[in-house]
Amino acid sequence: MSRIDETNDFIPVRIAVLTVSDSRSLAEDRSGQTLVDRLQSAGHILADRQILPDERAEIADQLRRWCADPAIDVVISTGGTGLTGRDVTVEAHRDVYEKEIEAFGTVFTIVSMKKIGTSAVQSRATGGVAQGTYLFALPGSPGACKDAWDEILCLQLDMRHKPCNFVEIFPRLDEKLRRK
């Protein structure tokens, strides 16, 4: 069963937060602020924070810049994961992924089902890896960001979480690059 092993040291992770919205400013960005508050409360480091419009190429370019930055370990975006024509965040993430973490979307749906029932089918939350960086796309509501952080990401981004976590495999994410 899932647990925190207090005998291991906590390792802070450097996280960038991207809000995708055509209408929000930093002052109105409740979802991005929810993520910032939670990651910092957990002891992680806010490496960067941006707001971009729902433009696939701009989103993908920003994700690529952060993946190329050795000072960023994880990128979490919020917004643009729905079903409308302007919701292109998932496509932008997939433009960047080297590997998709399919189970992330599945587990997020299970978490969401407990909170919002069958409305969870309207989310396309996703996760993946590129250039040794984890990327996660979450819905644009503060509640969805809270649920994803509290029930999935805070555990998987904690080196002490057992039986396994994302942090312990950081050194092996870019193995293929080192073999060239």
Side-chain angles (χ1 to χ4, degrees):
M1 199 61 175
S2 177
R3 65 182 172 81
I4 297 294
D5 180 353
E6 298 291 346
T7 64
N8 286 345
D9 291 332
F10 177 81
I11 298 174
V13 175
R14 299 163 300 185
I15 303 172
V17 174
L18 174 63
T19 298
V20 177
S21 174
D22 287 331
S23 59
R24 288 187 205 155
S25 68
L26 198 58
E28 302 161 333
D29 181 19
R30 292 185 12 211
S31 298
Q33 191 61 49
T34 295
L35 291 168
V36 169
D37 292 344
R38 280 179 153 62
L39 73 88
Q40 289 178 327
S41 291
H44 297 296
I45 300 159
L46 178 64
D48 199 0
R49 183 176 179 187
Q50 301 287 327
I51 297 179
L52 288 177
D54 294 276
E55 296 295 338
R56 182 175 177 170
E58 286 184 52
I59 297 164
D61 287 346
Q62 182 61 59
L63 296 175
R64 285 186 189 98
R65 280 191 294 277
W66 279 337
C67 288
D69 186 341
I72 295 175
D73 302 311
V74 175
V75 176
I76 305 172
S77 68
T78 175
T81 64
L83 302 173
T84 71
R86 295 290 294 155
D87 292 324
V88 296
T89 302
V90 173
E91 289 74 20
H93 270 252
R94 289 183 175 145
D95 289 344
V96 176
Y97 291 166
E98 293 166 1
K99 293 187 178 192
E100 188 162 359
I101 307 169
E102 285 102 358
F104 179 79
T106 302
V107 172
F108 180 79
T109 301
I110 291 167
V111 167
S112 293
M113 285 280 299
K114 295 176 187 174
K115 308 284 173 106
I116 62 172
T118 61
S119 295
V121 302
Q122 293 189 34
S123 170
R124 298 184 305 135
T126 186
V129 179
Q131 295 182 31
T133 303
Y134 289 106
L135 301 113
F136 301 98
L138 308 178
S141 75
C145 291
K146 175 185 170 295
D147 293 343
W149 180 266
D150 293 352
E151 306 224 15
I152 306 169
L153 294 173
C154 77
L155 298 170
Q156 283 298 300
L157 295 176
D158 189 333
M159 177 67 169
R160 303 167 302 165
H161 182 263
K162 300 296 175 198
C164 59
N165 60 75
F166 290 141
V167 179
E168 66 191 356
I169 60 173
F170 266 129
R172 297 185 359 239
L173 290 179
D174 61 358
E175 287 173 317
K176 73 175 182 72
L177 300 175
R178 292 192 306 264
R179 288 189 193 134
K180 290 182 179 180

